């Protein structure tokens, strides 16, 4: 027999006996099952990988006699459904390291005492969860005491701003996606802007693995909501193990299977009121299912989840009037699989597979009379990830991860040549609506990312050190045909002017890498000091053109580009970023936090490589990439006070400031002193500067007698030189010189207030979220003729739109039912989005008209929508 013995040092595993036949004979079977669960069908196998680290945390605490308050020695403490366990030491203390993040059930067993079963114990990445237990002495065997763990009001080993949303809250919130959950947090503005940053400055990570498209910066997958067990949203002060992000990190933690088989199926739709005369709907329907359970009890587990969403969109009536389209007008599906295999108490292997598909008809109000001319668009993503976690000693363990991530995007189902050969589209006589023709937009793009990552964590007394590395290999291919008309400042087309050509065709294989070290020192009395250092490098593996400017007259010049065989190689880039964090108690209920960090981000790969293959000497109006772009950079710090007012109420006050450099914009190079863009080209460059500062106030009162409240207020100021990476090009086509002043950026939302009420009433669970956003800016430059006089100078974003107010609610009613000896939970729920049906404005044209000349209703957020659904769990 092979015996794993527990040591009385507060860190070892509990006693388990297994034969060699189990350890080695079933290993092959478990690995085959793991592969079967995590690998898609051969025809669907994606051809890339991407990974970050497998995150783990710590559970610790003290066990005492409930009657005498004495500590209990040698209590068996272990995680249900895993080999992880420990015995309490001579001080009644136990410690479980290297625990997978998520929610767990802890069991406490001791001879002569009633067993304690602690459920919903939340483990956070790289943090400590303290679970102190009191055991009741008994002379007879009694059922276990079931206790629900409560997360602390203040997590004492955090030195930055972290918002944690658990699975219960995710299930009850009136939201559809993890992005919507992020937007509910203090300091986050609609559109994904965290603390004044651009939307692409946030990195989305799933179980340590980035899930973003490196060419566009968007999240490249969907995910069934039922598989999210926790969402950790870092809006400030994230550790050195996280890179390639300037503003925030959103860490999605997925659910694991357990010993108890579980099944769930859910269905909802928003047109249930149609038979009764309802008209406020989009024809949206969603079906979701989940299966989980053991492959072998306590040793191997599986989870499979999938969802399907169909939607006729808010523009369904326009689509229905067209005979060319069939319902639904958009659809998506996602399939997620996960398996976890415990080879021993010190060795764990996890595998994941994800397939995601999204397809939609494009829609624009100007094209509503010719929707057949707008192409369809789709995205297919696939990801495989494999994680190995090995504890070498009770104080040292390492993670190794390998991931493969593929993203394929397409626009237009016809061939590129046929789209390019078609004539330009035509407008009506008033130049308002498109009446015939097709948009010249075609794309076939693919990103393959193979990433490996490793971390080593060691604990020595009060010191914890984590060191690690990352390597990422990319294969990027993009073939784009895109021709657009020039537009005025007011968004009106100018068909008499030459079309702007954004076409590109490239294939490059850049590489990135990083080394990082994170040290944490803690005294045990609440004082925590974190010191981190990260080294990032980028090898663009591309060549750039050499341009020479030749004067022709005193006021004019021309430029020449060397032949392609004389282009020079883009240089490799490397940067070092320090991170400092401090948390210290002021009194037993008040904590002070400070952190400072420097953060770097690789520019979007489209900004590096697009247009390089084109013959620039032909004078095409193209947008040219720049493989010599530098890292984008941010310096940020924050101060925060957090206080427990009573056992159920906690509040925080945070001030932050951040300054960003080397952000991306465009610069136009002209052959003479003109603004016509003829014989010139526009290139991405590192230019803009941005600053953001603000105050965040948050308070949470946990449910007491069925009702709890969360409220937050944020005051923020955001200024910069450019809203987007295309600001310079836009100003030029509008006839203006790019501005050199710091102005309020488009997401400068000065005041943001969010209030959430959660609770129950007569068995009905409710979650109501109300949000108020003060007006956001836009550029106001009125003109009765639609043309501004030559030489007019404008001030960007000098006016404000309307404020925004929205209330969303979710109501749930559960009925437990016994069916054939099995407990089944029947759930009926209803969601109401934009309960007050308020017309919230999202854009205003520069002449001050909501929706511009055509009064586009897309200038308003969608109106009230009500969804009714049913869910069965068993």
């Amino acid at each position: 027999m092979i015996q794993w013995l527990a040591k009385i040092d507060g860190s070892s595993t509990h006693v388990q006996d297994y034969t060699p036949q189990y350890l080695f004979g079933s290993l092959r079977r478990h690995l085959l099952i793991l592969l079967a669960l995590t690998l898609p069908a051969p025809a669907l196998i994606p051809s890339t990988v991407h990974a970050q680290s497998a995150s783990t945390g710590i559970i610790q605490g003290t066990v005492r006699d409930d009657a005498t308050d004495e500590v209990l020695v040698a209590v068996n403490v272990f995680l249900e459904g895993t080999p992880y366990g420990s015995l309490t030491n001579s001080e009644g203390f136990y410690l479980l390291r290297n625990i997978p993040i998520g929610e767990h059930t802890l069991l406490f067993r001791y001879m002569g005492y009633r067993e304690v079963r602690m459920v919903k114990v939340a483990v956070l990445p790289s943090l400590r969860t303290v679970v102190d237990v009191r055991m009741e002495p008994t002379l007879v065997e009694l059922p276990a005491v079931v206790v629900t763990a409560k997360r602390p009001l203040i997590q004492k080993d955090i030195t930055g701003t972290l918002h944690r949303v658990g699975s219960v809250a995710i299930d009850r919130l009136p939201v559809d996606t993890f992005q919507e959950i992020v937007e509910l947090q203090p300091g986050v503005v609609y559109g994904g802007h965290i603390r004044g940053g651009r939307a692409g400055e946030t990195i989305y990570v799933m179980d340590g693995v980035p899930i973003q498209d490196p060419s566009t910066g968007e999240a490249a997958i969907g995910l069934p909501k039922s598989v999210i067990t926790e969402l950790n949203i870092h809006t400030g002060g994230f550790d050195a193990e996280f890179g390639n992000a300037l503003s925030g990190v959103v860490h999605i933690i997925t659910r694991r299977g357990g010993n108890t088989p579980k099944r769930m199926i859910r269905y909802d739709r928003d047109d249930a009121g149609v038979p009764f005369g309802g008209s406020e709907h989009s024809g949206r329907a969603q079906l979701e299912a989940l299966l989980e359970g053991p492959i072998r009890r306590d040793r191997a587990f599986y989870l499979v989840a999938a969802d399907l969403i169909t939607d006729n969109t808010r523009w369904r009536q326009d689509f229905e009037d067209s005979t060319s389209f069939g319902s639904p007008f958009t659809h998506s599906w996602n399939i997620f699989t996960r398996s976890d295999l415990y080879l021993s108490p010190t060795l764990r292997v996890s595998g994941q597979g994800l397939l995601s598909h999204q397809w939609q008809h494009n829609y624009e109000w100007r094209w509503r009379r010719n929707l057949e001319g707008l192409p369809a668009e789709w995205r297919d993503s696939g990801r495989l990830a494999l994680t190995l976690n090995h504890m070498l000693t009770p104080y040292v363990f390492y993670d190794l991860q390998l991931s493969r991530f593929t993203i394929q995007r397409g626009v237009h189902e016809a061939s590129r040549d046929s789209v390019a050969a078609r004539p330009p589209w035509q407008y009506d006589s008033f130049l308002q609506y498109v009446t015939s023709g097709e948009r010249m937009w075609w794309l076939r793009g693919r990103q393959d990312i193979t990433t490996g990552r490793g971390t080593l964590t060691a604990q020595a007394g009060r010191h914890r050190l984590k060191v690690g590395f990352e390597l990422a290999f990319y294969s990027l291919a993009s073939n784009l045909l895109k021709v657009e008309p020039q537009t005025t400042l007011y968004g009106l087309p100018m068909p008499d002017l030459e079309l702007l050509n954004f076409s590109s065709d490239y294939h490059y294989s850049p590489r990135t890498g990083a080394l990082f070290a994170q040290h944490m020192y803690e005294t045990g009395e609440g004082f925590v000091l974190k010191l981190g250092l990260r080294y990032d490098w980028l090898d663009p593996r591309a060549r750039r053109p050499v341009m020479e400017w030749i004067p022709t007259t005193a006021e004019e010049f021309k430029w020449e580009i060397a032949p392609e065989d004389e282009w020079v190689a883009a240089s490799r880039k490397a940067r070092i970023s320090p991170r400092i964090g401090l948390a210290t108690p002021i009194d037993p209920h008040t904590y002070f936090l400070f952190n400072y960090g420097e953060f770097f981000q690789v520019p979007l790969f489209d900004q590096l490589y697009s247009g390089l293959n084109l013959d620039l000497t032909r004078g095409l109006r193209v947008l040219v990439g720049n493989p010599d772009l530098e890292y984008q950079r941010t310096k940020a710090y924050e101060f925060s006070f957090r206080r427990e007012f009573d056992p159920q109420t906690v509040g925080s006050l945070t001030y932050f400031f951040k300054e960003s450099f080397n952000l991306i914009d465009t610069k136009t190079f002209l052959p003479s002193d003109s603004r016509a863009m003829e014989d010139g080209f526009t290139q991405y460059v590192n230019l803009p500067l941005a600053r953001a500062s603000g105050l965040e106030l948050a308070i949470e009162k946990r449910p007491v007698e069925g009702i709890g409240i969360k409220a937050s207020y944020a005051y923020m100021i955001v200024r910069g030189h450019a809203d987007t990476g295309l600001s310079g090009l836009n100003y030029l086509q509008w006839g203006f010189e790019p501005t050199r002043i710091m102005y309020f950026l488009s997401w400068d939302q000065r005041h943001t207030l969010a209030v959430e009420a959660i609770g129950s009433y007569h068995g009905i669970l409710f979650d109501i979220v109300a949000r108020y956003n003060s007006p956001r800016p836009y550029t106001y430059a009125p003109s009765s003729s639609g043309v501004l006089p030559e030489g007019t100078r404008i001030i960007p974003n000098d006016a404000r739109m309307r404020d925004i107010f929205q209330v969303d609610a979710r109501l749930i009613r559960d009925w437990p039912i016994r069916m054939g000896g099995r407990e089944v939970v029947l759930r009926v729920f209803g969601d109401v989005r934009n309960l007050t049906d308020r017309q919230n404005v999202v854009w205003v044209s520069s002449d001050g008209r909501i929706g511009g000349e055509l009064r586009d209703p897309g200038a308003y957020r969608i109106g009230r929508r009500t969804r009714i659904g049913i869910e069965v769990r068993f």
Side-chain angles (χ1 to χ4, degrees):
M1 301 287 288
I2 295 180
Q3 189 177 60
W4 298 333
L5 294 176
K7 301 178 183 177
I8 316 256
D9 66 353
S11 62
S12 59
T13 59
H14 65 286
V15 178
Q16 296 283 356
D17 293 329
Y18 292 100
T19 64
Q21 288 82 358
Y22 169 79
L23 288 177
F24 301 105
S26 66
L27 175 59
R28 183 176 62 181
R29 181 172 64 256
H30 286 169
L31 290 176
L32 289 175
I33 294 173
L34 174 67
L35 292 175
L37 286 171
T38 57
L39 293 180
L44 299 177
I45 292 178
S47 58
T48 75
V49 181
H50 207 86
Q52 204 146 297
S53 76
S55 297
T56 60
I58 295 173
I59 302 177
Q60 67 180 50
T62 303
V63 183
R64 295 179 178 273
D65 186 301
D66 187 50
T68 65
D69 200 40
E70 295 180 352
V71 297
L72 299 179
V73 181
V75 176
N76 196 355
V77 184
F78 58 96
L79 252 64
E80 185 179 49
T82 76
Y84 292 116
S86 177
L87 299 177
T88 57
N89 63 13
S90 59
E91 298 176 351
F93 178 77
Y94 71 92
L95 177 65
L96 301 177
R97 291 189 179 88
N98 197 30
I99 303 302
I101 50 181
E103 290 189 346
H104 298 272
T105 296
L106 264 182
L107 297 180
F108 298 81
R109 290 176 180 168
Y110 196 47
M111 183 69 68
Y113 285 79
R114 191 174 181 181
E115 178 181 317
V116 175
R117 183 184 182 88
M118 185 73 68
V119 299
K120 297 186 180 300
V121 178
V123 177
L124 303 180
S126 302
L127 300 176
R128 294 180 182 270
T129 298
V130 178
V131 180
D132 294 326
V133 170
R134 306 182 75 86
M135 301 189 71
E136 175 187 346
T138 180
L139 298 178
V140 296
E141 186 174 345
L142 296 173
V145 177
V146 179
V147 182
T148 301
K150 294 183 179 180
R151 65 179 175 91
L153 291 174
I154 297 178
Q155 185 73 36
K156 296 180 174 60
D157 47 353
I158 293 178
T159 60
T161 301
L162 169 65
H163 304 286
R164 175 186 173 269
V165 185
S167 58
V168 174
I170 293 172
D171 194 42
R172 294 177 62 166
L173 277 169
V175 298
D176 293 322
T177 65
F178 54 83
Q179 292 95 332
E180 293 178 20
I181 299 175
V182 173
E183 290 175 358
L184 294 176
Q185 310 310 314
V188 184
V189 173
Y190 177 77
H193 303 276
I194 293 182
R195 287 189 172 176
R198 296 180 178 182
E201 293 179 6
T202 299
I203 187 171
Y204 289 88
V205 177
M206 186 172 73
D207 293 327
V209 181
I211 55 174
Q212 277 166 291
D213 186 327
S215 295
T216 66
E218 302 172 348
I221 65 167
L223 193 66
K225 195 167 74 168
S226 61
V227 307
I228 303 177
T229 190
E230 186 170 296
L231 206 61
N232 289 321
I233 305 162
H234 301 260
T235 59
F238 42 91
D239 291 343
E241 66 177 304
F242 294 109
N244 203 31
L246 298 182
S247 294
V249 176
V250 178
H251 194 175
I252 305 164
I253 301 166
T254 61
R255 179 171 173 168
R256 299 183 316 278
N259 277 330
T260 303
K262 296 180 181 179
R263 309 289 185 267
M264 184 277 294
I265 186 167
R266 177 192 303 134
Y267 179 74
D268 67 75
R269 58 186 311 118
D270 72 351
D271 58 357
V274 172
F276 309 100
S279 60
E280 293 181 321
H281 70 91
S282 299
R284 184 188 189 278
Q286 179 174 3
L287 176 66
E288 184 170 351
L290 177 141
L291 304 173
E292 67 170 88
I295 301 172
R296 176 143 187 162
R297 188 172 181 84
D298 293 343
R299 285 295 171 263
F301 312 95
Y302 74 92
L303 181 144
V304 180
D307 68 358
L308 170 65
I309 302 173
T310 61
D311 198 341
N312 285 335
T313 80
R314 63 189 293 192
W315 315 113
R316 59 184 175 82
Q317 292 175 327
D318 280 354
F319 278 124
E320 289 165 358
D321 290 340
S322 173
T323 59
S324 301
F325 302 133
S327 176
F329 306 119
T330 75
H331 68 264
S332 65
W333 52 260
N334 306 283
I335 302 174
F336 175 84
T337 67
R338 171 170 179 161
S339 55
D340 295 88
L341 174 62
Y342 294 86
L343 300 176
S344 77
T346 61
L347 185 61
R348 184 179 76 251
V349 177
S350 299
Q352 290 184 11
L354 175 65
L355 290 176
S356 181
H357 169 78
Q358 185 178 48
W359 181 94
Q360 66 180 23
H361 276 296
N362 285 301
Y363 182 92
E364 287 186 24
W365 188 253
R366 192 176 295 277
W367 286 73
R368 64 190 302 257
R369 299 177 182 175
N370 182 37
L371 291 178
E372 295 87 348
L374 291 176
E377 181 178 1
W378 65 91
R379 184 199 67 215
D380 292 307
S381 305
R383 196 201 71 165
L384 298 176
L386 186 66
T387 301
L388 173 69
N389 178 272
H390 187 197
M391 179 174 283
L392 299 174
T393 74
Y395 304 97
V396 180
F397 67 89
Y398 67 87
D399 288 315
L400 291 176
Q401 281 193 302
L402 184 65
S403 170
R404 189 169 180 85
F405 193 22
T406 294
I407 309 158
Q408 298 184 82
R409 295 182 60 224
V411 176
H412 213 300
E413 297 175 349
S415 68
R416 189 185 198 278
D417 291 341
S418 66
V419 174
R422 294 171 186 176
W425 53 95
Q426 302 296 318
Y427 296 90
D428 60 23
S429 57
F430 298 100
L431 297 180
Q432 292 183 325
Y433 293 97
V434 177
T435 57
S436 63
E438 291 189 4
R439 166 169 283 172
M440 296 182 66
W441 186 16
W442 183 94
L443 171 68
R444 295 294 184 270
R446 179 179 179 125
Q447 291 82 42
D448 295 336
I449 310 106
T450 302
T451 305
R453 173 170 176 159
T455 63
L456 177 69
T457 303
Q459 181 89 27
R462 297 176 176 178
H463 299 269
R464 190 192 312 170
L465 178 66
K466 176 184 282 190
V467 296
F469 71 90
E470 295 177 7
L471 289 174
F473 302 87
Y474 301 84
S475 176
L476 311 171
S478 177
N479 189 348
L480 171 67
L481 169 66
K482 189 173 185 180
V483 180
E484 297 284 346
Q486 295 190 50
T487 62
T488 69
L489 177 64
Y490 311 102
L492 305 179
M494 296 185 286
D496 294 335
L497 298 182
E498 188 174 350
L499 298 174
L500 294 178
N501 192 329
F502 295 89
S503 302
S504 178
D505 185 8
Y506 66 78
H507 189 178
Y508 289 96
S509 300
R511 297 171 182 171
T512 63
L515 299 173
F516 60 87
Q518 183 73 44
H519 172 263
M520 183 172 75
Y521 170 77
E522 50 188 340
T523 63
E525 285 122 18
F527 177 84
V528 175
L529 176 64
K530 290 184 177 181
L531 300 174
L533 195 65
R534 183 180 178 93
Y535 172 81
D536 288 277
W537 60 266
L538 162 67
D539 184 359
R541 304 186 73 200
R543 302 174 67 83
R544 61 174 177 82
V546 178
M547 294 175 292
E548 183 178 2
W549 303 90
I550 302 175
T552 57
T553 69
E555 297 181 353
E556 295 184 352
F557 54 88
K558 66 178 182 178
W559 52 268
E560 292 183 354
I561 297 180
E564 187 171 351
D565 57 358
E566 296 181 15
W567 287 14
V568 298
S571 62
R572 295 182 179 181
K573 315 296 188 303
R575 292 291 182 270
I576 295 178
S577 52
R579 317 278 173 91
I580 301 172
L582 170 70
T584 184
I586 297 177
D587 60 46
H589 303 288
T590 307
Y591 279 77
F592 169 74
L593 285 75
F594 166 79
N595 68 73
Y596 169 83
E598 296 185 19
F599 309 96
F600 294 93
Q601 187 175 43
V602 176
L604 299 177
F605 286 132
D606 268 354
Q607 296 169 340
L608 267 65
Y609 302 124
S610 61
L612 289 180
N613 63 299
L614 297 180
D615 183 1
L616 302 182
T617 60
R618 292 185 299 173
L620 297 177
R621 301 177 183 182
V622 293
L623 183 59
V624 180
N626 183 357
D628 252 337
L629 287 173
E630 293 287 341
Y631 275 101
Q632 300 175 98
R633 178 186 178 191
T634 289
K635 291 182 178 181
Y637 60 82
E638 69 174 341
F639 303 89
S640 182
F641 291 91
R642 300 174 188 178
R643 179 171 178 80
E644 297 178 4
F645 296 103
D646 60 50
Q648 304 297 333
T649 309
V650 63
S652 66
L653 176 64
T654 303
Y655 169 78
F656 70 88
F657 175 84
K658 56 187 293 188
E659 190 170 42
S660 299
F661 311 87
N662 285 349
L663 299 180
I664 307 302
D665 195 7
T666 50
K667 183 176 181 179
T668 300
F669 299 91
L670 303 172
S672 61
D673 187 15
S674 74
R675 291 176 296 178
M677 292 190 295
E678 296 174 355
D679 301 324
F681 69 95
T682 301
Q683 188 176 43
Y684 289 107
V685 293
N686 294 102
L687 282 178
L689 170 72
R691 295 190 182 98
S693 60
L695 285 171
E696 297 171 1
L697 177 64
I699 189 166
E700 176 183 358
K701 186 175 183 61
R702 290 183 174 174
V704 178
E705 298 181 355
I707 298 178
I709 297 289
K710 291 176 65 176
S712 66
Y713 166 76
Y715 175 85
M716 186 162 51
I717 300 176
V718 186
R719 291 188 177 94
H721 284 143
D723 278 308
T724 72
L726 294 175
S727 292
L729 176 61
N730 290 334
Y731 278 108
L732 193 68
Q733 71 165 312
W734 295 335
F736 302 103
E737 292 291 337
T739 180
R740 293 292 180 264
I741 64 172
M742 295 279 285
Y743 60 87
F744 295 117
L745 299 182
S746 300
W747 52 91
D748 176 57
Q749 190 169 283
R750 195 60 48 83
H751 305 280
T752 304
L753 177 64
V755 179
E756 179 184 1
I758 184 171
S760 62
Y761 181 76
H762 291 292
I764 299 176
L765 304 176
F766 64 84
D767 196 327
I768 303 172
V769 179
R771 287 170 288 177
Y772 170 81
N773 305 327
S774 62
R776 291 166 71 164
Y778 75 99
T779 301
Y780 182 59
S783 171
S784 58
S785 64
V787 178
L788 292 177
E790 183 74 20
T792 302
R793 298 189 65 85
I794 61 173
I795 301 176
N797 292 340
D798 59 339
R800 297 272 169 172
M801 297 183 281
R802 299 178 184 175
D803 58 1
I804 291 177
F805 177 72
Q806 182 164 325
V807 179
D808 302 325
R810 182 175 173 91
L811 304 178
I812 300 173
R813 182 69 164 91
D814 289 338
W815 285 276
I817 302 172
R818 298 295 297 184
M819 296 179 60
R822 175 184 298 175
E823 182 174 299
V824 177
V825 177
L826 174 64
R827 166 172 291 186
V828 177
F829 59 91
D831 275 11
V832 183
R833 310 294 169 87
N834 195 4
L835 179 65
T836 62
D837 205 19
R838 192 174 193 261
Q839 288 188 311
N840 290 310
V841 177
V842 293
W843 69 269
V844 176
S845 66
S846 292
D847 57 5
R849 289 185 286 187
I850 299 174
E853 177 193 30
L854 303 182
R855 304 296 182 182
D856 182 354
Y860 297 95
R861 290 191 189 179
I862 194 167
R864 179 168 49 224
R865 292 293 185 270
T866 302
R867 288 159 49 188
I868 298 175
I870 186 170
E871 178 179 310
V872 180
R873 300 182 181 184
F874 54 91

